[in-house]
Amino acid sequence: MSVTIKDVAKLADVAPSTVSRVIANNPRISEKTKRKVKEAMEYLGYHPNFNARSLANRSTQAIGLVMPSSADKAFQNPFFPEVIRGISTMAHEQEYALYMSTGNTEDEIFEGVVRMVQGRRVDGIVMLYSRVDDRIMCYLQEQSFPFTVIGKPFKNADSITHIDNDNFKAAQEMTEYLLSLGHERIGFVGGNLNLVVTIDRLLGYEKAIRNAGLSYKDEYIVHEEFLKEGGQEAVKELLALENPPSALLVMDDLMSFGVLSTLNELGLSVPEDISLLSFNNVMLSELSSPSLTSVDINIFQLGYEAAKGLLECIQSPGKPAKRVAVPFELIERQSCKNVK
Amino acid sequence: MSVTIKDVAKLADVAPSTVSRVIANNPRISEKTKRKVKEAMEYLGYHPNFNARSLANRSTQAIGLVMPSSADKAFQNPFFPEVIRGISTMAHEQEYALYMSTGNTEDEIFEGVVRMVQGRRVDGIVMLYSRVDDRIMCYLQEQSFPFTVIGKPFKNADSITHIDNDNFKAAQEMTEYLLSLGHERIGFVGGNLNLVVTIDRLLGYEKAIRNAGLSYKDEYIVHEEFLKEGGQEAVKELLALENPPSALLVMDDLMSFGVLSTLNELGLSVPEDISLLSFNNVMLSELSSPSLTSVDINIFQLGYEAAKGLLECIQSPGKPAKRVAVPFELIERQSCKNVK
DNA sequence: AACCTATCTGTATACGCTTTCAGAATCCAA
DNA sequence: TTGGATTCTGAAAGCGTATACAGATAGGTT
């Protein structure tokens, strides 16, 4: 079939083990032999078989990606491509490849992960989300399989290497920003409440509201899916209030797009009638009209650091877990108005 | 270390080969033994080692994805997540996993592909783009490695299974649509000219223009990258003409967003001053204001069919190459105006 | 010349699974 | 009871690589 180490060995007139050592660049092989073997490899067009190598080696040079369970929906959010780009960049630096298993239901995803882990298809896993009581995360911990999380683990955060923004602080600061613009009725448009990021930000929001001496009103809090439809629903609920908010803190730019177009339909304009501040700063947020004031959470870097952390876990298993906080930054555009 | 086939064999009091046959669901094994073995597997929490299996089997149950060489940029285009979602859906149906190798430069990508192929990391490859004289495509053909292409191969199209829209026809029809609205000065905002899709559409556009008895003007043709910046550049060039177009046929919604925001800045409005018709119908195209009239090219299905075709290639190597044409559909929204 | 190091290379086995081939067990007809 | 067909199972040889261990070679010392 294809060229093996033995063919190379024969041609170079050495033993297979020698060839293997040349591949591994083992210092015990003389330069002369190395050259000879390399020539033979070149001549035959030899390429090592990864499966054989993995088997002997117990390592695959691949890392697995776990997407949130509604993989199809989520993939539409530019957050994921961008975070994957970050992961992929780091992975590539160390010659790791990416492996994705997919599925539509919760169970399928879980099964996919089990196969990745038990089948030794990957050396470690990056979880692209963090939510309350996640089965997959529990499983990985039980197996003590190397993994890192993007977002804060709901429990055992100390013993799991994770990468996130300080979402509590971010939400608090952003709420304070809106307060500083004179808004006192600030709505919170959150995503799925099972996601830790939603919880953290809600707490930050609450903190800021209370610090300002305002009362925290449940009716100003709305939770929807992270997509544009979510944004649309949210607006309807909030505007139906007798005293509707003058500003919204929205968890995702995509939801903001939904909010924006719904407001448009209702004949309300941003920021004149209502201000919008959202998170993620995806590429398109500067192109909408009005352009969105948004928190740049450095998605690329989240991915990059997550992969980096994972590779550390893999390469030095002893190391204690750590947390990396990726900085965030408010990008002011046109969707917030000073009402003072 | 972990549980192997031997452990299961020992517990079930059979030979390893029997266990292997149970896994493969070989009909030559009696139901009784199967049950016994399955219980043992269950009890021990056995999972087959994929590397060992691949090695013995010469198959990996994984398919590789090749992104265009500027992987980082391209990933930002919603086209890719969506096409990957399609691929992933099909792959999952047949229990295949996805494998991505990445790189920043042309050479890195190529090296990645070689490693995937020679290292037997994947059973086949889906090329997510098609362009003129592509090194990777040539390589795959030389190696007669199973692969399919999304888009039309520049050469040897007959011998390569590929999935695309009929882009020539699509562009022709869309140009005719604009003509039917009364536009006679139609600009063509194309993407990278190395991409076959750009060429096909340009030809379709030209055909429609000539059929209508209009003259084909070079100055109405602009080529930019497929991103928003591209859109911005394009507008500036076209509006500088002494007789600027009244309608633009834009190759990608993302470019249209760029066009839209640039026009905004220049104080021109769509569709009053200029009409916009673009391709892809990405999720956000209905949310912009005005919402975009766009050609839905069924990105998901492109991916789905590409994966399906690939799996056929893999599973029955003899089969002749085929072409699948995915239908397209014009989605009329607000960005085109009837000027008759 | 004999011996010892230091350096390099080869032999053999393991990694976990699949598969060929042969052999054992079972069953039924003669 | 024997023979032959049929069904099921096991032993063993790969798949292509890594590595422990032993062996060979070269170089230097006494």
Side-chain angles (χ1 to χ4, degrees), chain A residues 14-15 17-18 21 28 30 33 58:
Chain A
V14 296
S17 53
T18 304
R21 288 194 186 99
R28 296 193 336 193
S30 66
T33 331
R58 285 110 177 293

Side-chain angles (χ1 to χ4, degrees), chain A residues 143-158:
Chain A
Q143 301 282 325
S144 36
F145 195 79
F147 75 104
T148 57
V149 179
I150 292 180
K152 193 176 78 183
F154 185 60
K155 42 185 186 185
N156 304 325
D158 294 342

Side-chain angles (χ1 to χ4, degrees), chain B residues 15 17-18 21 28 30 33 56 58:
Chain B
S17 50
T18 304
R21 281 193 269 259
R28 296 192 338 193
S30 67
T33 332
R58 284 110 179 294

Side-chain angles (χ1 to χ4, degrees), chain A residues 5-6 8-10 12-38 41 46:
Chain A
I5 214 174
K6 285 182 193 167
V8 176
K10 208 169 294 170
D13 200 29
V14 296
S17 53
T18 304
V19 177
S20 171
R21 288 194 186 99
V22 172
I23 295 168
N25 201 19
N26 187 314
R28 296 193 336 193
I29 301 293
S30 66
E31 280 309 320
K32 207 177 88 195
T33 331
K34 271 185 191 166
R35 239 193 329 277
K36 197 170 59 177
V37 171
K38 277 179 183 161
M41 297 200 305
Y46 168 80

